[in-house]
Amino acid sequence: MPIRLRRLYKSAARGAAALGGIVLALAPLCGGAAGAAAPHNHAVHIAVSDDSESTRGIVAALSKAMPAAQVSTDAGKRQAKSGAIYIAVGPAALRALLQQNVDGVIIAVYTSGLAYRGILDAAPGPRAAAVTAIYAEPSPALQLRLITLLYKQAVTVAVILSDKTSYLEPLLQRAAVQAGSTLRIEHFAAGSKLNRVLNRIADVPTLLVMPDGALYNPENIRNILMTSYRHNQSVIGFSAGLVKAGALASIYSDNDDIHAQIEELIGEVDGTGKVPEPQYAKYYSVIVNDDVAESLNLVVNEKARRLSRKPPARQP
C-alpha cells in the first residue's frame, strides 16, 4: 500500500471508531465561554432524552450560556409548561416533546435536517407550526463555496442522494449556481451497491457528503473515504468529526455559534410572537485535515481556512 494511502487508512480507522455514530459526528467542537444571555420573556427549558457524554457536554454549555433555563434529562416525562420555549437537544428529545404535545415553541438543535424533516412529517400540522430548528449540518451553499476556495477555482462536485435526501436536489442546484460549480448528482436506490456509485463518480475531483443513514454510517465510512482517495478524490464532510475521520474539510459550528443563534431565535419569538423558519447554522468556521490535503497534493490557502462568520460579542 502506498505511503499516502496507508496514512489515510489509519486516519479513517481512528476516525470511524471515534464517530461512534453519525449523530455523534454531528456534535460540534466545544467553543469558549459565552457571555451572559439576555433576559427572556418566556420560560426556557432545555430538554434531553439521553445521558451520553456528548449530550452532557452540550447541556453543560447551554446551561452556562443560559443560566436561567431549566434542564430536564428526561424529555419524555416533562410536564407541559404553558407558553414556554423548549430547546430540544437531539432528535429523541424533539420526538418526545412532540409526543407530549407541550404548549409552547420548540427549537430543535443538534438534529440533522433529514431527521428533523422525518420527525415533523409525523407530527400534527398545528403542533408542527410551533417548531423550528437549527440544523446540525452546515449549509450546502457554504460547503460549495468552501470547495471553490479549497481548489482555487470552480470544480465539478459529486453528490449522492438517496430517496430520503432527494428533496435536497433543488437546493443543491441553486447553491451550485451561486458558487459557480457544476454538480454531478447520483441517485442511490435502496438495495444498490454504494461502491458502484462511487466508481461512477471516480473522475470527479470532490464528493460532498451530507447526513444520510442510508449512505453513510460508522461501518462503511472508512471504505468510502479510502475508495474516494484511491480515485484522488476529496471528501467534504458534514461535521468536524467526519473531517477527523479523514474527510478533507468542512464548515462546522461550535457550541458558542449554536448558542448565539438559539438566543437570536428566542429573541425573535419574544419580540414578534412568530416562529422562525428552520435554518442552517449562521455562525461557523472551517476545519481542514492537513494530512489528507498533503496526501492529495492540495495546498490549502488561508482564504479557505478563514472562511467564517462569528456572532457579535456579548457583554459579560
Side-chain angles (χ1 to χ4, degrees):
M1 181 183 295
I3 293 175
R4 77 181 188 93
L5 285 178
R6 190 180 302 124
R7 187 188 305 131
L8 290 169
Y9 186 88
K10 290 180 179 178
S11 174
R14 290 193 303 268
L19 286 179
I22 288 297
V23 172
L24 180 57
L26 289 170
L29 298 178
C30 293
H40 304 129
N41 295 336
H42 295 78
V44 177
H45 299 267
I46 301 169
V48 298
S49 288
D50 70 87
D51 192 38
S52 66
E53 183 179 351
S54 61
T55 299
R56 289 198 301 271
I58 290 168
V59 170
L62 273 171
S63 298
K64 187 172 184 178
M66 294 182 288
Q70 298 183 31
V71 179
S72 170
T73 56
D74 190 347
K77 293 183 179 180
R78 178 180 301 283
Q79 298 298 314
K81 301 288 193 296
S82 179
I85 294 178
Y86 296 87
I87 301 172
V89 180
L94 173 60
R95 193 177 291 109
L97 289 174
L98 287 172
Q99 288 172 349
Q100 283 189 67
N101 196 28
V102 294
D103 179 18
V105 173
I106 300 174
I107 301 174
V109 293
Y110 305 103
T111 296
S112 71
L114 176 60
Y116 177 82
R117 179 185 174 95
I119 294 169
L120 265 289
D121 281 350
R127 171 65 270 190
V131 185
T132 188
I134 302 169
Y135 298 141
E137 73 274 22
S139 157
L142 282 173
Q143 294 284 64
L144 289 170
R145 183 180 172 194
L146 174 61
I147 290 169
T148 299
L149 291 174
L150 288 167
Y151 283 89
K152 306 176 187 69
Q153 62 180 341
V155 296
T156 300
V157 179
V159 180
I160 304 172
L161 299 177
S162 72
D163 292 342
K164 292 182 178 179
T165 50
S166 59
Y167 72 94
L168 289 169
E169 185 167 349
L171 171 64
L172 286 162
Q173 294 288 6
R174 290 193 299 270
V177 170
Q178 293 174 356
S181 304
T182 301
L183 281 186
R184 172 94 164 266
I185 294 180
E186 289 284 340
H187 293 276
F188 177 82
S192 300
K193 298 290 185 181
L194 186 56
N195 273 345
R196 293 180 182 175
V197 180
L198 293 171
N199 287 333
R200 288 202 299 268
I201 58 173
D203 60 327
V204 180
T206 187
L207 169 64
L208 173 61
V209 301
M210 289 168 291
D212 186 344
L215 296 172
Y216 311 114
N217 57 64
E219 286 68 45
N220 70 8
I221 193 65
R222 181 170 63 183
N223 178 63
I224 292 168
L225 291 167
M226 294 309 303
T227 299
S228 297
Y229 292 133
R230 286 192 184 98
H231 297 153
N232 202 39
Q233 178 186 70
S234 69
V235 174
I236 303 300
F238 48 75
S239 71
L242 197 52
V243 174
K244 292 179 180 179
L248 170 61
S250 183
I251 299 288
Y252 78 97
S253 299
D254 66 22
N255 283 328
D256 285 353
D257 295 331
I258 300 299
H259 300 165
Q261 193 167 349
I262 290 172
E263 287 286 353
E264 291 176 5
L265 293 183
I266 292 174
E268 188 170 344
V269 173
D270 281 346
T272 69
K274 297 180 180 178
V275 180
E277 290 294 322
Q279 54 202 253
Y280 292 101
K282 65 185 290 189
Y283 302 118
Y284 54 86
S285 299
V286 167
I287 182 171
V288 176
N289 188 320
D290 288 308
D291 286 340
V292 171
E294 181 181 353
S295 298
L296 292 171
N297 297 316
L298 186 65
V299 178
V300 179
N301 61 28
E302 287 304 307
K303 191 172 183 180
R305 296 181 190 275
R306 292 175 181 171
L307 178 62
S308 67
R309 182 184 182 190
K310 289 297 174 182
R314 290 198 297 242
Q315 295 300 316

